[in-house]
Protein backbone atom coordinates (compact mmCIF):
# COMPACT_ATOMS: atom_id res chain seq x y z
CA UNK A 1 0.00 0.00 0.00
CA UNK A 2 1.27 3.46 -0.85
CA UNK A 3 0.84 4.71 2.73
CA UNK A 4 3.41 2.19 3.97
CA UNK A 5 5.84 3.47 1.33
CA UNK A 6 5.06 7.07 2.36
CA UNK A 7 5.85 6.31 6.01
CA UNK A 8 9.04 4.44 5.08
CA UNK A 9 10.28 7.37 2.99
CA UNK A 10 9.60 9.87 5.80
CA UNK A 11 10.73 7.74 8.73
CA UNK A 12 13.49 5.33 7.72
CA UNK A 13 15.48 3.49 10.38
CA UNK A 14 18.49 5.62 9.42
CA UNK A 15 17.61 9.36 9.50
CA UNK A 16 20.22 10.00 6.78
CA UNK A 17 17.98 8.09 4.36
CA UNK A 18 14.92 10.38 4.69
CA UNK A 19 13.47 11.03 1.23
CA UNK A 20 10.99 13.79 2.00
CA UNK A 21 10.55 15.03 -1.57
CA UNK A 22 9.73 11.55 -2.87
CA UNK A 23 7.28 11.03 -0.01
CA UNK A 24 5.47 14.27 -0.84
CA UNK A 25 5.27 13.37 -4.54
CA UNK A 26 3.81 9.98 -3.59
CA UNK A 27 1.23 11.63 -1.34
CA UNK A 28 0.18 14.13 -4.02
CA UNK A 29 -0.31 11.31 -6.51
CA UNK A 30 -2.95 9.83 -4.20
CA UNK A 31 -4.87 12.94 -3.14
CA UNK A 32 -8.48 12.63 -4.39
CA UNK A 33 -9.90 15.09 -6.91
CA UNK A 34 -12.92 15.77 -4.71
CA UNK A 35 -13.85 15.67 -1.03
CA UNK A 36 -17.38 15.35 0.27
CA UNK A 37 -18.74 16.69 3.49
CA UNK A 38 -22.06 15.50 4.83
CA UNK A 39 -24.00 18.01 6.90
CA UNK A 40 -27.21 17.91 8.88
CA UNK A 41 -30.17 19.79 7.43
CA UNK A 42 -30.16 23.03 9.38
CA UNK A 43 -31.10 26.54 8.30
CA UNK A 44 -27.53 27.81 8.57
CA UNK A 45 -26.20 24.88 6.51
CA UNK A 46 -28.76 25.51 3.74
CA UNK A 47 -27.91 29.24 3.80
CA UNK A 48 -24.18 28.49 3.53
CA UNK A 49 -24.80 26.08 0.65
CA UNK A 50 -26.86 28.69 -1.24
CA UNK A 51 -24.13 31.31 -0.68
CA UNK A 52 -21.23 29.01 -1.57
CA UNK A 53 -19.77 29.18 1.95
CA UNK A 54 -18.14 26.29 3.80
CA UNK A 55 -17.39 26.57 7.49
CA UNK A 56 -14.33 24.71 8.76
CA UNK A 57 -12.88 24.17 12.20
CA UNK A 58 -9.57 25.66 13.18
CA UNK A 59 -6.77 23.07 13.22
CA UNK A 60 -6.20 23.71 16.93
CA UNK A 61 -9.73 22.36 17.54
CA UNK A 62 -9.20 19.08 15.64
CA UNK A 63 -9.34 15.89 17.67
CA UNK A 64 -6.29 14.49 15.86
CA UNK A 65 -3.15 16.67 16.08
CA UNK A 66 -1.79 15.19 12.84
CA UNK A 67 -4.83 16.23 10.76
CA UNK A 68 -3.33 19.65 10.20
CA UNK A 69 0.25 18.70 9.44
CA UNK A 70 2.05 21.53 7.66
CA UNK A 71 4.96 21.26 5.28
CA UNK A 72 7.53 24.00 5.64
Amino acid sequence: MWIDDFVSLNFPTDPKLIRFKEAQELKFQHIPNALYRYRTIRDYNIKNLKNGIEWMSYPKDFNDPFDAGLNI
Side-chain angles (χ1 to χ4, degrees):
M1 180 179 244
W2 75 269
I3 295 174
D4 296 329
D5 295 336
F6 175 77
V7 171
S8 296
L9 290 168
N10 273 313
F11 305 104
T13 53
D14 182 352
K16 296 175 190 169
L17 300 176
I18 292 174
R19 296 181 357 224
F20 181 72
K21 186 174 180 176
E22 289 177 50
Q24 294 306 305
E25 290 172 1
L26 182 63
K27 179 177 81 170
F28 290 130
Q29 290 172 5
H30 292 87
I31 290 178
N33 293 326
L35 295 175
Y36 298 92
R37 184 170 185 176
Y38 295 92
R39 304 295 300 216
T40 56
I41 298 176
R42 302 273 190 259
D43 288 337
Y44 57 87
N45 286 331
I46 304 258
K47 180 181 172 187
N48 287 346
L49 182 61
K50 287 179 181 177
N51 294 324
I53 297 171
E54 177 58 41
W55 181 86
M56 299 176 130
S57 300
Y58 286 101
K60 69 179 183 69
D61 296 329
F62 291 174
N63 62 356
D64 183 345
F66 298 103
D67 277 346
L70 301 174
N71 297 328
I72 299 175

